[in-house]
Amino acid sequence: TVRVWDATAGETLYVFTGHDDWITSVGFCPGGQHVFSGSEDGTARVWGATTGEVLHVLRGHAGSITSVGCSPDGLRIVSGGGDATVRVWDATT
């Protein structure tokens, strides 16, 4: 489960579900429109930040994803996995 919190009020704003295992990394893309996550289920996901809709499921690692990040322009997602690879993904398709 991924949660987006109101840091001032300490309340959950949104809850995103879909990963099948532990989530290991999560963050916002610049602009705040998208949330990204990586999981031990071997997928990275891009979510609509205010809808919780899964926009993209990124598959390609042979094992868990240990870290995920977003490029400064918000167009690329990068993921690192337990399979000793780093992958760069198009965040828009």
Side-chain angles (χ1 to χ4, degrees):
T1 302
V2 173
R3 293 180 184 269
V4 177
W5 296 83
D6 178 322
T8 303
E11 299 174 355
T12 301
L13 297 175
Y14 307 104
V15 177
F16 307 158
T17 59
H19 282 293
D20 296 326
D21 209 333
W22 292 97
I23 295 168
T24 57
S25 184
V26 66
F28 275 98
C29 283
Q33 298 295 319
H34 301 106
V35 171
F36 56 86
S37 59
S39 171
E40 288 188 3
D41 67 8
T43 67
R45 295 175 187 251
V46 180
W47 313 79
T50 59
T51 65
E53 177 185 0
V54 177
L55 303 175
H56 308 290
V57 178
L58 309 171
R59 293 180 175 91
H61 285 282
S64 64
I65 293 178
T66 56
S67 63
V68 183
C70 192
S71 64
D73 61 10
L75 299 178
R76 302 277 185 265
I77 301 291
V78 63
S79 59
D83 59 358
T85 65
V86 173
R87 296 184 179 268
V88 179
W89 311 87
D90 184 338
T92 63
T93 60

